[in-house]
Amino acid sequence: MAEFTLTLHARDESQPELHKVSVTAEGELPEYGQVWVWDIVYAQQLFALGEVQAAQDLKETMELWAVNMSSKVFQPHGHILSKGYLDLSENLQLVNGDSVPAAADGDRQVVVSVDGQAGQLPDVRVSPESLTADERQDLVLGLGQYFNFENPMFARELPIHVLAMRKYHADINLPHTRTALEEAPFFAIQKAMEYFQAANQGTVQ
């Protein structure tokens, strides 16, 4: 079992548009499993948000980043990291070490618990279940940003997963439906596997 505790820090009055998030991790989660966990969290939060502008904003943020990043997935991790290509949103900043703000009354902690067996899609739970629209967006972006910086495999795969989920939501089921909640992560994993298999065989256009 693994747990990721995200602290959504209170807004700084001098930078009201900037969302600062810090993440602490406990337990073990295989590197290949991180993108599965993120897919599930993304699907869960789009479902929970429902048909509101915040859901569309989150999709647009992730999909715009994925389109821009998709041509760079085979570049060295250090290069794309140094260029800022792994930053999911200009309004979200992942902080750690001395950059973490002092504890404040407006801080909010969200825990992502992951349980399951190796090689199988994990059981992912988010606590608390009741979150604001902003908190749901920060959860998805903050967790994605954390994995993006930590794991080159995740950073390479995430754009393909996001674009696969965009296709699923456009062609099969809308993100606020329960079917999409259950199926979209599987669809993303399958399409990403097909993409990278084709890339390894030199057949990606």
Side-chain angles (χ1 to χ4, degrees):
M1 180 171 175
E3 278 193 353
F4 301 90
T5 301
L6 289 82
T7 301
L8 315 180
H9 295 280
R11 303 288 178 84
D12 185 335
E13 292 182 2
S14 65
Q15 297 175 296
E17 297 301 316
L18 185 63
H19 301 208
K20 291 186 177 183
V21 178
S22 58
V23 180
T24 57
E26 294 184 9
E28 294 293 329
L29 177 64
E31 285 190 341
Y32 69 81
Q34 292 177 359
V35 73
W36 297 0
V37 168
W38 186 89
D39 287 348
I40 293 169
V41 170
Y42 185 40
Q44 287 175 343
Q45 300 315 307
L46 289 177
F47 174 76
L49 283 166
E51 297 180 81
V52 298
Q53 186 61 41
Q56 189 60 33
D57 291 345
L58 177 57
K59 283 181 86 277
E60 288 178 358
T61 296
M62 286 305 312
E63 290 166 8
L64 178 61
W65 175 82
V67 168
N68 290 333
M69 184 60 198
S70 60
S71 63
K72 305 177 180 69
V73 295
F74 295 109
Q75 294 182 15
H77 187 257
H79 172 72
I80 56 177
L81 182 61
S82 67
K83 292 287 189 181
Y85 297 151
L86 297 183
D87 295 339
L88 298 180
S89 169
E90 62 182 12
N91 293 326
L92 183 128
Q93 181 183 1
L94 188 71
V95 292
N96 54 45
D98 293 339
S99 300
V100 176
D105 288 341
D107 291 353
R108 175 79 146 158
Q109 283 201 331
V110 183
V111 178
V112 179
S113 302
V114 183
D115 202 3
Q117 297 181 346
Q120 297 182 354
L121 209 59
D123 177 34
V124 180
R125 297 177 303 281
V126 173
S127 178
E129 294 182 0
S130 178
L131 298 171
T132 68
D134 276 353
E135 289 167 348
R136 294 189 188 282
Q137 293 179 79
D138 288 349
L139 165 60
V140 171
L141 294 171
L143 188 62
Q145 194 70 79
Y146 173 76
F147 288 149
N148 241 4
F149 287 170
E150 293 288 322
N151 181 2
M153 182 188 300
F154 180 92
R156 185 172 65 247
E157 292 206 6
L158 182 60
I160 309 306
H161 283 245
V162 172
L163 295 177
M165 292 181 84
R166 179 180 70 170
K167 179 174 176 59
Y168 178 92
H169 293 143
D171 297 348
I172 304 174
N173 285 298
L174 294 171
H176 63 269
T177 63
R178 184 164 293 279
T179 306
L181 167 66
E182 297 170 352
E183 290 184 355
F186 284 101
F187 185 87
I189 292 166
Q190 178 185 8
K191 292 301 180 185
M193 288 178 60
E194 292 172 0
Y195 175 87
F196 286 106
Q197 285 173 356
N200 289 335
Q201 296 166 4
T203 57
V204 168
Q205 300 295 318

